[in-house]
Amino acid sequence: MTKRLSQWQRTLGWSVGLVLAVGFQGSLGSLCWALSDSPATQAEAVYRKLPDFPLENQYVRADNNKQATESTLISRFIYYHTTVKGRSTLSRLDWKISLADYLGLNEFLQPETYPGENFLKSNPLQNDQARIRSLNRVQRDALVQALVDVYGGSRATGAASAPLPAASQARPTVPGDRTAQPSGLAPLAAPGSASLLDPSGGTSSQSS
């Protein structure tokens, strides 16, 4: 009886250990995924596409007085877009809406919820807003495109246009083929015809 109980305890202990190990690996995997998808990590990918975009990572942490180099303008913009506002990362329009917030054209940015307010010595909101407002339209469009590319939005939004169906493609015009012209319209004049100079389109009769 004692021997059977000991075997059962060993089996139970092994099973519990396996469950804990699998659970730990799953949690670790989720943590790794979260870190790889963090605003700071995604911002690095955007900066690789836009190497001249301002970093604005000169701010100092409140807890240790060290420079928070990972807190950049783009990482704070991503955090604002995804966490503060909860907007889609796959929608070009949503990114533009967040830009509109910074430009003062949509919603007002709130200092108490702005990224970095809770751990940086000074709130970067005003400076970040000024930086975004200083961008021209081409630079703002480039930022949106880089964000869409990094988050894979081109696949989700179907940016690539599908080829036209064969039936809708233009038919080559064959001389004498009236079926190529829309019904109810006069045939097109031949190249070089003097009727092309007629304001009426060559449809009026000429006087003899």
Side-chain angles (χ1 to χ4, degrees):
M1 181 67 179
T2 304
K3 183 176 182 181
R4 288 182 180 179
L5 181 60
S6 178
Q7 290 176 347
W8 180 84
Q9 288 175 335
R10 285 198 299 269
T11 303
L12 179 61
W14 179 84
S15 301
V16 172
L18 179 61
V19 170
L20 291 175
V22 171
F24 174 75
Q25 289 178 354
S27 300
L28 183 60
S30 299
L31 177 61
C32 292
W33 178 86
L35 290 175
S36 65
D37 199 45
S38 68
T41 302
Q42 300 291 40
E44 290 179 2
V46 175
Y47 276 112
R48 285 194 291 270
K49 291 178 173 292
L50 304 173
D52 296 329
F53 201 87
L55 285 171
E56 294 299 317
N57 64 343
Q58 72 275 15
Y59 296 93
V60 175
R61 298 184 67 93
D63 56 352
N64 57 14
N65 290 323
K66 292 184 179 180
Q67 183 178 350
T69 55
E70 75 285 355
S71 180
T72 60
L73 174 56
I74 293 180
S75 72
R76 292 189 293 271
F77 178 72
I78 292 175
Y79 189 92
Y80 171 80
H81 177 89
T82 58
T83 304
V84 177
K85 305 307 296 183
R87 292 170 181 155
S88 171
T89 59
L90 303 179
S91 170
R92 185 186 304 272
L93 177 60
D94 277 15
W95 287 113
K96 289 186 175 183
I97 290 174
S98 292
L99 273 177
D101 291 350
Y102 278 73
L103 297 174
L105 302 176
N106 188 42
E107 298 184 17
F108 292 105
L109 301 176
Q110 302 299 327
E112 61 272 14
T113 59
Y114 190 74
E117 187 278 334
N118 59 336
F119 69 93
L120 296 176
K121 271 194 166 183
S122 59
N123 194 318
L125 187 153
Q126 290 187 352
N127 191 56
D128 285 359
Q129 195 168 21
R131 279 292 190 176
I132 294 294
R133 289 180 175 181
S134 69
L135 302 175
N136 57 41
R137 184 172 181 176
V138 173
Q139 291 170 322
R140 294 198 299 268
D141 287 345
L143 173 60
V144 170
Q145 184 61 54
L147 289 163
V148 169
D149 289 344
V150 166
Y151 279 95
S154 57
R155 295 192 300 273
T157 56
S161 58
L164 292 174
S168 66
Q169 297 198 7
R171 288 183 55 187
T173 302
V174 180
D177 182 9
R178 293 182 178 272
T179 61
Q181 303 296 335
S183 60
L185 297 179
L188 292 176
S193 172
S195 63
L196 291 175
L197 302 177
D198 188 352
S200 65
T203 59
S204 64
S205 59
Q206 297 181 359
S207 60
S208 58

